[in-house]
């Protein structure tokens, strides 16, 4: 295909720069020819500097954690919780006496012990942070000064050797670690032309710090700025709409900012003018992870993770910078996060970023001007009410989230890394890229597997029961035997024989008719809506929670994460009903209810976090669609039903007795009829199942004929010659009875439904109302369970083997008790009854011992894997030859995909995210390699690239930036292989670097829109295409081309290879019908004019309007791209 002319090869291109504009390593030398082109990836892209700064941030980012409590070695990520106790000023003042004093002293000690942890990692593990990464306690001056000398020494030790580099001597004052980190960042950033800005001293925030000052004369006669921060942009917009009474200025920045000059601020009522700036974050500001030196799966022993430090990294550096820019110079900060523990945690993340930049005062004085709004809906009335009743953020609740995060990260990652590495290297058909363990996820899986074990080990047994049939007025009633059932057939048959002696009769012993009330449903909390959506609407917990959250953000529902099942006294039930009075579906019922007067809700508990889930505004029948419409309708109907009349049923129960059998001869028939529908008229009981907590649900709705107490009914005898227990009766009798023996079999329980699983998780304290849907979704995503009809969860083979393996080694790893205990301790943290440090230390010690025992006894679990899954050598099919042994490698599609040499027991991870095919026995041209090549196709439309299994796993041809140290290079290569084996990385571009000989052979020209190159699609003709190695761009060459040969001749200016083209006879665009043509693609007018450029997608399969891919246009997967 390629002409090999001596000395015509092109030289290696310049190295690829770093992702943030750094210059990369130099390109490898080519085979002669043109020199390196460009400045490397990113090296000549100054326009990206601003974007890079958004990710890395100016110097403020280095000060994010200064003076906050230092991270204790080992801190992590937990599921969100919403068991809030409220944040009213009254609650905030509860823990402010001796308890706060003691906590502050402990906080000082923790700061001393952890100062300077991490050495040079000041940017990630800045000193002065607590285990949450939030500001440490610094209330009394004596405590601060007592630590000053110790902190100075620790900070100087940690920053030894940096003073010469940064030109700084010892730092003075209590912010030594902060200043050192800042000077380090300043020195680093100065090379990029960035200016360092000295940040003010950051204040300290102890748990539940009360208001220190309450000066209503603050800023009297002056202009002030109030910075409001919401959790999501949509809530920020609702806050601005609720508070502003005039014009609102909208500024589109990193996140939207709404600015207006009214109303007055209740905490500074005498200010001359109040400027309000309302913006938001986008969820969590920081994520929790291990430092870089603990990220390696290869070089880090998972046992080390239990004692490893943790760092908090900005989820988006641009958000941090945005908060700092907007908060700088603000007099007050008002936090509008969701009113649950996770929201409190985000509150303190925001304060870590920007509280020290407020205007006026420093230290704790800034915290005096920080307030927290408590709200449950985003309607204007709720916004104004929260604004006029501002409280303080609750750090104890934030600490409980930090504790759970630390435990989940350390425990989950340690177990997951170990068992993934152990089993992925031994078995080929596990059908999961990561064998994850989670303190909540695994007990959730355990419930599903235990039910499967109960079903599989169930032994059906026969049993016998007596069935009394009573015929009256042409209707046969089947009476139930009060004794239930008997497992002795002989005794049951003897009872029938005894009943038939002499003149058998049945006597009516009782006739009881009474009205029973079926109680209206209790108000709706998160767990109940998840169960109802799964059972009645067929919507899974994860999808139901997403729909409820979208409805909340759109203003249709109140906050959907609540544990309360009782409306607070302040809740406006009448006003909420009036909003629904005009709806065509239930408006008539609501108007009648308002005219008669609504009822109080039944039972329930007000947990003080949020009110139950209720509608906030009306929505027409066609205003919403899909799951949102169905969830909204259910919530509205449930709310109306919860304040409606109870349903009334008339229940009738008839008692029968065969006197000859004594206590064994009692039977009954029961039924009920509706007298008043009550709430059932709006709740649509039959549609929504039994989620209304129905009383008497076991009674059948039917009419019972009239019976009289003492009435005697003849029991007919059976034929003497019959060998059956059935009684033969005389025909024509108006009222008679028969007695039968029925043989039945015991039946196993059914598989768990989502609704039942949610109930078990709630009962055993696994997860929270906010995290339960996530845990259920995770065990499905990991292929541990599958969802079958009826919303039932059936465990897959992998899930069963894992759970049984845990039981073989340590049942505590899968049983819910340990996690339930930890949840209870986290609740105590939120109430101020325990410290985060003691809870985490105790739990980490316990799990570390369990991990050590697990590792020592992993062979017990391996026995189960060996009997359920296939060894690598027994899986896959011969694919391509190994370049070393010349034996065929077996292709294991995974996940994760890999090639396996069963003769040398070598595993070659393959790129994930695309399709892998053989390529006609071609071999790799790299010296000493000789592996047979594959083709790797990715994207839509697919872009195909050559792939060498050996080079893909070689450090010499890694796509990542290569370290200079050979040992580091080897470690990096092993780490990449581990991540590929774990399915961590998707390869959505060419799997080989652009300077690899394979790519060089197909190279046509640079790609001006990316840092890649255009190569000839290795499928070649008849559909000739050029594909970009680093971008989802495809160039379709003219269909009249018959053959293309890439020459080694290059254009030294453009860095292109010349192409030798032959056109089809009669289709040539050349003058005189010539068929042969040579040209450089970027400069040839013929090729440029007849080629089509298509910008596709990195996704392998089309989505959205592409449908099933059978139609034209968009249906063929082209809807996601664009042509030019």
């Amino acid at each position: 295909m390629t002409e090999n002319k001596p000395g015509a090869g092109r030289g290696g291109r310049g190295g690829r720069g770093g992702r943030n504009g750094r210059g990369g390593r130099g390109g490898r030398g080519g085979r002669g020819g043109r020199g390196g082109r460009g400045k490397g990836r990113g090296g000549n892209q100054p326009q990206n500097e601003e974007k890079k700064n958004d990710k890395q941030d100016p110097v403020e980012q280095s000060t994010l954690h200064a003076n906050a409590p230092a991270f204790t070695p080992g801190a992590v990520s937990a599921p969100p919780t919403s068991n809030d106790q409220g944040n009213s000023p009254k609650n905030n003042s509860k823990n402010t006496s001796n308890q706060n004093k003691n906590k502050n002293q402990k906080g000082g000690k923790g700061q001393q012990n952890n100062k300077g942890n991490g050495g040079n990692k000041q940017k990630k593990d800045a000193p002065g942070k607590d285990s949450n990464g939030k500001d440490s306690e610094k209330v009394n001056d004596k405590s601060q000064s007592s630590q000053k000398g110790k902190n100075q020494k620790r900070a100087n030790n940690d920053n030894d050797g940096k003073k010469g580099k940064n030109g700084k001597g010892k730092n003075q004052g209590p912010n030594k670690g902060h200043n050192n980190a800042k000077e380090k960042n300043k020195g680093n950033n100065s090379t990029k032309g960035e200016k360092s800005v000295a940040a003010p001293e950051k204040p300290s925030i102890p748990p539940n710090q009360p208001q220190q000052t309450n000066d209503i004369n603050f800023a009297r006669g002056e202009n002030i700025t109030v910075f409001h921060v919401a959790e999501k942009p949509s809530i920020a917009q609702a806050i601005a709409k609720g508070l502003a009474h005039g014009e609102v200025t909208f500024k589109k920045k990193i996140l939207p900012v709404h600015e207006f000059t009214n109303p007055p601020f209740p905490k500074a009522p005498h200010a001359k003018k109040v400027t309000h700036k309302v913006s938001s974050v986008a969820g969590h500001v920081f994520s929790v992870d291990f430092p870089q030196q603990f990220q390696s799966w290869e070089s880090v022993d998972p046992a080390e993770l239990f004692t490893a430090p943790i760092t908090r990294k900005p989820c988006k550096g641009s958000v941090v910078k945005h908060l700092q820019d907007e908060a700088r110079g603000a007099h007050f900060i008002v936090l509008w996060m969701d009113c649950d523990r996770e929201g409190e945690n985000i509150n303190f993340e925001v304060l870590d970023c920007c509280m020290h930049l407020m205007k006026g005062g420093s230290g704790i004085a800034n915290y005096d001007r920080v307030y927290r709004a408590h709200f449950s809906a985003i309607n204007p009335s709720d916004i104004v009410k929260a604004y006029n009743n501002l409280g303080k953020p609750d750090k104890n609740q934030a600490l409980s989230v930090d504790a759970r995060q630390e435990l989940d990260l350390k425990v989950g990652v340690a177990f997951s890394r170990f068992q993934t590495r152990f089993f992925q290297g031994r078995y080929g058909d596990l059908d999961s890229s990561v064998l994850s363990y989670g303190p909540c996820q695994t007990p959730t899986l355990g419930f599903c597997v235990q039910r499967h074990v109960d079903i599989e080990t169930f032994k059906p047994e026969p049993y016998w029961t007596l069935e009394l049939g009573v015929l009256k007025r042409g209707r046969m009633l089947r009476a139930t035997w009060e004794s239930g059932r008997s497992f002795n057939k002989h005794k049951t048959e003897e009872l029938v024989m005894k009943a038939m002696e002499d003149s058998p009769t049945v006597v009516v012993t009782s006739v009881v008719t009474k009205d029973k009330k079926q109680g209206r449903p209790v108000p709706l909390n998160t767990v109940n809506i998840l169960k109802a959506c799964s059972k009645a609407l067929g919507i899974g917990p994860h999808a139901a929670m997403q729909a409820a959250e979208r409805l909340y953000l759109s203003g249709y529902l109140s906050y959907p994460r609540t544990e309360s099942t009782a409306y607070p006294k302040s809740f406006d039930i009448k006003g909420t009903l009036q909003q629904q009075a005009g709806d065509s579906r239930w408006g008539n019922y609501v108007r009648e209810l308002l005219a008669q007067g609504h009822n109080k809700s039944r039972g329930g508990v007000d947990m003080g976090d949020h009110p139950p889930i209720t509608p906030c505004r009306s929505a027409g029948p066609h205003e919403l669609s899909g799951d949102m419409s169905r969830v909204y309708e259910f919530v509205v109907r449930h709310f109306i039903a919860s304040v409606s009349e109870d349903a009334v049923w008339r229940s009738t129960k008839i008692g029968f007795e065969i006197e000859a059998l004594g206590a064994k001869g009692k039977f009954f028939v029961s039924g009920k009829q509706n007298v008043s529908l009550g709430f059932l008229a709006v709740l649509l009981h039959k549609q929504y199942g039994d989620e209304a907590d129905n009383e008497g649900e076991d009674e059948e709705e039917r009419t019972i004929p009239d019976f009289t107490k003492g009435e005697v009914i003849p029991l007919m005898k059976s034929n003497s010659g019959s060998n059956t227990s059935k009684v033969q009766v005389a025909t024509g009798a108006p009222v008679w009875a028969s007695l039968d023996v029925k043989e039945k079999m015991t039946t196993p329980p059914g598989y768990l439904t989502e609704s039942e699983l949610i109930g078990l998780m709630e009962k055993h304290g696994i997860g929270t109302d906010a995290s339960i849907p996530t845990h259920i979704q995770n065990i499905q995503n990991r292929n541990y369970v599958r969802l079958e009809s009826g919303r039932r969860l059936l465990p897959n083979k992998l899930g069963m083997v894992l759970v049984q393996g845990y039981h073989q080694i340590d049942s505590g790893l899968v049983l819910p008790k340990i996690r339930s205990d930890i949840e209870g301790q986290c609740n105590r943290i939120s109430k101020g009854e325990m410290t985060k440090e003691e809870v985490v230390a105790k739990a980490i010690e316990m799990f570390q011992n369990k991990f050590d025992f697990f590792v020592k006894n992993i062979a017990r679990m391996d026995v189960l894997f060996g009997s359920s899954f296939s060894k690598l050598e027994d899986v896959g099919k011969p694919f391509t030859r190994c370049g070393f042994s010349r034996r065929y490698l077996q292709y294991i599609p995974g996940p994760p995909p890999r090639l396996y040499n069963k003769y040398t027991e070598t595993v070659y991870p393959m790129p994930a995210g695309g399709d892998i095919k053989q390529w006609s026995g071609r071999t790799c041209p790299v010296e000493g390699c000789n592996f047979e090549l594959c083709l790797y196709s990715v994207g839509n439309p697919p872009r195909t690239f050559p792939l060498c299994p050996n080079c893909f796993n070689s450090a010499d041809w890694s796509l990542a930036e290569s370290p200079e140290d050979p040992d580091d290079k080897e470690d990096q290569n092993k780490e990449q292989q581990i991540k590929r084996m774990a399915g961590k990385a998707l390869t959505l571009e060419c799997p080989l670097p652009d300077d690899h000989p394979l790519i060089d052979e197909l190279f046509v020209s640079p790609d001006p829109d990316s840092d890649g190159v255009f190569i000839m699609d290795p499928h070649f003709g008849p559909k000739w295409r050029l594909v970009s190695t680093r971008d989802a761009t495809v160039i379709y060459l003219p269909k009249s081309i018959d053959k293309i040969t890439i020459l080694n001749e290059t254009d030294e200016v453009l860095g292109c290879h010349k192409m030798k083209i032959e056109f089809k006879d009669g289709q040539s665009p050349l003058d005189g019908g010539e068929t042969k043509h040579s040209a450089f693609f970027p400069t040839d007018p013929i090729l440029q004019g007849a080629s089509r450029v298509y910008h596709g997608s990195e996704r392998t399969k089309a989505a959205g309007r592409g449908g099933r891919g059978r139609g034209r246009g968009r249906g063929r997967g082209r809807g996601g791209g664009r042509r030019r």
Side-chain angles (χ1 to χ4, degrees):
M1 181 66 194
T2 304
E3 292 186 4
N4 295 321
K5 296 183 180 180
R10 65 187 180 94
R13 298 191 315 280
R16 292 174 288 109
R19 294 184 179 180
N20 292 323
R22 301 194 308 272
R25 68 181 189 274
R28 302 179 185 83
R31 293 169 291 173
R34 64 185 180 87
R37 57 182 175 80
K39 298 181 180 180
R41 290 191 189 177
N44 55 351
Q45 297 177 5
Q47 67 273 20
N48 290 337
E49 188 71 20
E50 182 178 352
K51 184 176 181 181
K52 175 202 68 177
N53 291 342
D54 286 347
K55 294 182 179 179
Q56 290 189 337
D57 295 336
V59 70
E60 284 92 348
Q61 183 171 335
S62 67
T63 67
L64 292 183
H65 309 297
N67 289 340
F71 284 116
T72 10
V76 206
S77 170
T81 156
S82 57
N83 187 16
D84 306 320
Q85 301 300 323
N87 288 316
S88 65
K90 182 177 179 180
N91 289 337
N92 290 327
S93 63
K94 275 185 180 179
N95 302 314
T96 59
S97 55
N98 295 334
Q99 180 184 346
N100 265 342
K101 184 176 179 182
N102 295 335
K103 286 178 178 292
N104 295 334
Q105 292 170 355
K106 291 179 182 179
K109 183 177 179 180
Q111 194 176 24
Q112 170 195 352
N113 292 339
N114 294 285
K115 203 73 166 173
N117 179 34
N120 294 331
K121 302 185 298 300
Q122 296 293 345
K123 189 171 182 179
K124 294 181 180 179
D125 289 331
K129 296 304 255 187
D130 66 3
S131 55
N132 304 284
K134 299 181 173 62
D135 296 335
S136 66
E137 307 156 17
K138 197 186 296 179
V139 175
N140 58 68
D141 295 335
K142 183 176 179 180
S143 175
Q144 294 181 23
S145 60
S146 65
Q147 297 297 323
K148 188 172 181 180
K150 298 176 182 179
N151 292 340
Q152 175 72 63
K153 181 178 179 181
R154 181 68 61 89
N156 290 340
N157 289 339
D158 286 347
N159 294 281
D160 187 28
K162 299 180 186 175
K163 295 184 285 251
K165 179 179 179 180
N166 293 316
K168 298 289 181 183
K170 291 184 179 181
N171 295 294
Q172 302 298 324
N175 280 323
K176 300 172 290 297
H178 158 58
N179 292 335
N180 281 343
K182 183 175 67 178
E183 292 302 333
K184 175 187 175 185
N185 201 45
K186 178 178 178 181
N188 292 340
N189 290 341
S190 63
T191 62
K192 299 180 178 67
E194 299 174 2
K195 294 183 179 180
S196 175
V197 181
E201 175 184 349
K202 293 186 66 179
S204 305
I205 306 175
N208 287 342
Q209 175 64 33
Q211 188 74 18
Q212 299 294 313
T213 61
N214 192 19
D215 184 9
I216 62 172
N217 291 313
F218 180 86
R220 176 185 284 270
E222 300 177 6
N223 297 336
I224 64 171
T225 300
V226 181
F227 181 38
H228 304 260
V229 187
E231 189 167 327
K232 301 175 182 70
S234 57
I235 298 179
Q237 183 179 8
I239 293 169
K241 184 183 297 184
L243 295 181
H245 301 306
E247 182 180 353
V248 178
T249 303
F250 176 80
K251 298 179 181 178
K252 180 63 176 176
K253 298 186 176 181
I254 297 168
L255 289 163
V257 179
H258 309 268
E259 193 168 319
F260 49 93
T261 56
N262 55 68
F265 189 57
K267 300 301 181 182
H270 300 298
K272 179 180 178 181
K273 178 183 177 182
V274 182
T275 299
H276 296 268
K277 293 196 297 184
V278 185
S279 189
S280 73
V281 293
H284 273 284
V285 183
F286 296 99
S287 60
V288 184
D289 204 350
F290 292 109
Q292 186 61 39
Q293 63 267 34
F294 291 94
Q295 292 291 336
S296 173
W297 284 48
E298 177 68 20
S299 60
V300 177
D301 183 349
E304 298 178 21
L305 300 178
F306 289 100
T307 55
I310 64 168
T311 61
R312 295 194 313 164
K313 304 173 184 177
C315 298
K316 284 187 177 180
S318 57
V319 173
V320 175
K321 184 177 184 298
H322 172 74
L323 291 173
Q324 292 173 340
D325 290 343
E326 297 302 322
R328 185 175 284 107
H331 296 81
F332 293 89
I333 292 179
V334 181
L335 302 164
W336 293 81
M337 309 304 158
D338 291 343
C339 296
D340 54 15
R341 293 184 190 175
E342 203 75 15
E344 293 294 349
N345 193 264
I346 300 175
N347 280 337
F348 286 91
E349 291 178 353
V350 171
L351 295 182
D352 283 349
C353 294
C354 60
M355 187 172 71
H356 60 291
L357 300 172
M358 294 171 63
K359 186 174 182 179
S362 61
I364 203 64
N366 280 3
Y367 186 68
D368 281 351
R369 289 177 283 109
V370 172
Y371 293 93
R372 204 263 198 259
H374 297 92
F375 61 102
S376 297
I378 55 176
N379 290 327
S381 59
D382 295 271
I383 296 297
V384 172
K385 181 178 179 182
Y387 178 74
N388 291 324
N389 294 276
L390 298 174
K392 301 294 285 185
D394 186 348
K395 191 169 187 180
N396 280 332
Q397 293 198 43
L399 289 172
S400 70
V401 174
D402 288 334
R404 193 180 297 107
Q405 287 178 341
E406 180 168 351
L407 293 175
D408 282 359
L409 178 66
K410 291 188 171 180
V411 174
V413 173
F415 277 92
S416 298
R417 282 190 187 180
F418 173 76
Q419 63 189 25
T420 298
R421 289 176 55 188
F422 186 88
F423 292 113
Q424 284 286 13
R426 299 168 68 87
Y427 302 98
D429 54 347
L430 297 181
D431 197 27
S432 183
S433 56
V434 178
L435 304 185
S436 63
Y437 175 90
C440 286
Q441 168 191 298
T442 303
T444 302
L445 172 63
F447 290 132
C448 299
V449 174
Q450 185 58 50
R451 177 60 63 89
H452 174 80
V453 172
D454 293 342
I455 294 172
E456 292 297 315
T457 58
F458 183 85
K459 287 185 64 176
E461 294 184 51
Y463 67 90
W464 292 265
T465 182
L466 294 182
E467 184 177 278
L468 179 67
V470 179
L471 179 68
K472 188 169 187 179
R473 293 182 180 177
R475 292 183 55 195
M476 175 62 75
L477 302 176
R478 299 292 178 183
T480 304
W481 189 25
E482 287 190 0
S483 297
R485 61 186 180 184
S486 172
F487 290 92
N488 190 318
K489 179 180 180 181
H490 180 67
K491 288 186 176 180
T492 309
E493 291 176 340
E494 284 185 345
L495 289 175
V496 175
M497 295 176 62
K498 185 176 181 180
M500 293 301 124
E501 294 177 354
D502 300 330
S503 299
T505 57
V506 177
V507 179
V508 178
T509 57
S510 62
V511 178
V512 178
T513 299
K514 63 179 180 180
D515 288 346
K516 290 183 179 181
K517 286 188 176 182
Q518 179 181 345
R520 53 190 174 274
V522 297
L524 200 60
N525 66 3
T526 304
V527 170
N528 287 337
I529 193 176
L530 295 177
K531 293 167 68 176
C533 286
S534 175
K535 185 171 185 178
L537 305 182
I539 303 174
H542 191 67
M545 182 53 67
Q546 286 183 328
E549 286 180 339
R550 289 196 297 270
L551 289 166
Y552 162 65
L553 295 175
S554 302
Y556 290 101
L557 295 185
S558 62
Y559 190 60
R561 302 187 179 196
T562 175
E563 297 181 355
S564 296
T565 53
Y567 301 121
K569 294 180 180 179
S570 59
F571 184 74
D572 185 6
I573 295 178
K574 183 176 180 180
T576 307
L577 285 172
Q578 288 174 340
Q579 292 176 348
Q580 303 296 330
D583 194 284
S584 59
R585 292 164 290 183
W586 45 73
N588 291 336
Y589 181 92
V590 171
R591 288 191 292 271
E592 292 179 9
L593 182 61
L594 288 170
Q596 298 171 2
H598 64 78
N599 293 274
K600 292 182 178 180
S601 61
R602 181 174 67 92
V605 179
D606 183 4
M607 301 298 293
D609 55 348
H610 290 279
I613 304 170
T614 58
C616 294
R617 65 186 177 99
S618 62
H622 306 294
E623 189 171 334
L624 299 171
S625 61
D627 289 347
M628 290 178 65
S629 175
R630 299 169 66 206
V631 172
Y632 176 80
E633 180 177 349
F634 172 72
V635 172
V636 173
R637 290 184 181 276
H638 191 103
F639 165 71
I640 299 171
S642 69
V643 292
S644 296
E645 293 286 347
D646 292 340
V648 180
W649 297 90
R650 183 152 296 156
S651 173
T652 302
K653 184 175 182 179
I654 312 296
F656 300 95
E657 183 176 352
I658 301 176
E659 295 181 348
L661 301 182
K664 294 288 186 180
K666 296 182 178 180
F667 300 83
F668 70 90
V669 170
S670 64
K672 65 179 181 180
Q673 288 181 293
N674 184 261
V675 177
S676 172
L677 281 174
F679 72 91
L680 294 178
V682 68
L683 187 61
L684 303 181
H685 168 63
K686 291 182 179 179
Q687 178 179 350
Y688 291 114
D690 62 358
E691 298 303 326
D693 189 22
N694 300 310
E695 185 180 343
E697 183 72 15
D698 55 336
E699 287 187 341
E700 182 182 352
E701 186 176 355
R702 60 178 176 174
T703 303
I704 304 295
D706 293 333
F707 287 89
T708 305
K709 183 177 180 180
E711 182 178 349
V712 178
I713 303 172
L715 185 63
M716 301 301 181
K717 294 183 179 180
S718 62
N719 292 333
S720 57
S722 174
N723 57 1
T724 177
S725 59
K726 289 189 176 181
V727 178
Q728 303 298 319
V729 300
T731 59
V735 180
W736 52 265
S738 64
L739 190 63
D740 297 338
V741 175
K742 293 288 185 180
E743 180 178 353
K744 299 180 181 180
M745 300 289 288
T746 56
T747 56
Y751 283 99
L752 284 179
T753 63
E754 289 173 326
S755 179
E756 292 169 336
L757 180 57
I758 292 169
L760 284 173
M761 295 174 71
E762 181 189 30
K763 176 182 176 181
H764 292 279
I766 301 301
T768 66
D769 52 4
S771 64
I772 282 175
T774 302
H775 299 315
I776 296 177
Q777 188 66 34
N778 282 343
I779 61 175
Q780 296 179 58
N781 293 342
R782 298 296 188 196
N783 282 330
Y784 294 161
V785 300
R786 63 187 184 276
L787 186 65
E788 297 288 350
S789 60
R791 312 293 308 180
R792 296 189 178 274
L793 295 166
L794 277 66
N796 291 326
K797 183 168 59 174
L798 179 58
M800 289 187 285
V801 171
L802 279 173
V803 169
Q804 295 301 326
Y806 294 136
H807 281 298
Q808 289 286 333
I809 300 174
D810 182 358
S811 293
L813 294 173
V814 71
L815 293 178
K817 186 179 185 307
I818 292 178
R819 181 62 190 194
S820 179
D821 292 343
I822 292 175
E823 288 287 350
Q825 292 176 356
C826 288
N827 289 338
R828 296 186 65 187
I829 294 175
S830 68
K831 298 174 183 177
E833 298 172 357
M834 294 184 73
T835 65
K836 168 185 173 289
E837 289 72 22
E838 59 183 317
V839 170
V840 170
K842 180 179 177 181
I844 287 294
E845 181 183 7
M846 175 187 65
F847 275 108
Q848 191 168 12
N849 293 333
K850 287 182 173 294
F851 179 80
D852 293 339
F853 186 78
F854 180 75
V855 172
K856 292 176 182 177
N857 295 275
I858 191 65
R860 301 181 187 177
M861 182 181 282
D862 191 36
V863 171
L864 298 177
F865 271 83
S867 62
S868 302
F869 299 100
S870 303
K871 297 281 188 180
L872 281 176
E873 58 266 26
D874 301 326
V875 179
K877 60 180 181 180
F879 199 65
T880 57
R881 288 184 184 272
C882 172
F884 305 137
S885 65
R886 303 308 300 165
R887 301 275 192 172
Y888 272 102
L889 302 174
Q890 291 176 280
Y891 177 58
I892 302 168
R898 53 210 188 272
L899 292 176
Y900 176 67
N901 190 330
K902 63 181 179 181
Y903 303 99
T904 61
E905 296 188 355
T906 306
V907 178
Y908 297 92
M910 300 293 277
D915 297 325
I916 301 171
K917 298 179 180 179
Q918 297 163 302
W919 194 23
S920 308
R922 298 169 185 255
T923 59
C924 180
V926 173
E927 184 177 355
C929 181
N930 295 321
F931 271 65
E932 285 189 1
L933 302 176
C934 313
L935 291 178
Y936 181 69
S937 299
V938 67
N940 177 48
R943 294 170 293 129
T944 304
F945 307 101
L947 169 62
C948 172
N950 183 51
C951 293
F952 179 69
N953 291 281
S954 170
D956 291 333
W957 300 107
S958 170
L959 286 174
E961 193 170 330
S962 180
E964 295 181 2
D965 190 301
D967 293 335
D968 292 343
K969 191 173 182 179
E970 182 180 356
D971 287 345
Q972 182 194 63
N973 184 50
K974 290 182 178 179
E975 178 61 26
Q976 288 177 344
Q977 291 190 32
I978 289 290
K979 288 185 176 180
R980 289 165 184 160
M981 284 292 294
K984 288 281 186 178
L986 293 179
T987 304
L988 302 178
E989 57 182 17
C990 178
L992 297 175
D994 294 344
D995 50 359
H996 190 280
L998 277 173
I999 306 302
D1000 186 73
E1001 289 181 359
L1002 301 173
F1003 171 79
V1004 174
S1005 73
D1007 180 2
D1009 295 331
S1010 72
D1011 53 0
V1013 299
F1014 281 111
I1015 65 172
M1016 186 65 63
D1017 187 309
H1019 285 120
F1020 305 119
K1023 295 181 180 180
W1024 299 91
R1025 306 188 308 169
L1026 303 181
V1027 294
S1028 173
T1029 56
R1030 308 296 160 213
D1031 188 40
T1033 303
V1034 180
I1035 299 177
Y1036 293 88
L1037 298 177
K1039 295 181 179 180
S1040 58
I1041 294 178
D1042 184 49
K1043 182 180 179 181
I1044 296 178
T1045 304
I1046 302 174
L1047 308 176
N1048 283 332
E1049 182 180 346
T1050 60
D1051 184 313
E1052 298 299 335
V1053 177
L1054 299 177
C1056 308
H1057 273 183
K1058 179 174 281 190
M1059 296 191 300
K1060 181 180 178 181
I1061 303 171
E1062 295 183 19
F1063 291 97
K1064 299 176 182 177
D1065 291 335
Q1067 300 183 28
S1068 173
L1070 302 175
D1071 294 338
E1074 291 289 334
T1075 59
K1076 295 185 178 181
H1077 180 61
S1078 295
F1080 295 102
F1081 175 76
T1083 59
D1084 186 73
I1086 296 176
L1087 294 178
Q1088 290 290 321
S1091 299
R1092 293 180 298 118
V1093 180
Y1094 191 90
H1095 297 280
S1097 168
E1098 290 183 341
R1099 294 173 296 178
T1100 301
K1101 296 181 180 179
R1105 299 191 182 183
R1108 298 184 178 272
R1110 293 183 178 272
R1112 293 189 176 186
R1114 293 180 184 232
R1116 301 179 71 172
R1118 297 184 180 180
R1122 65 185 189 276
R1123 299 180 183 180
R1124 72 180 184 192

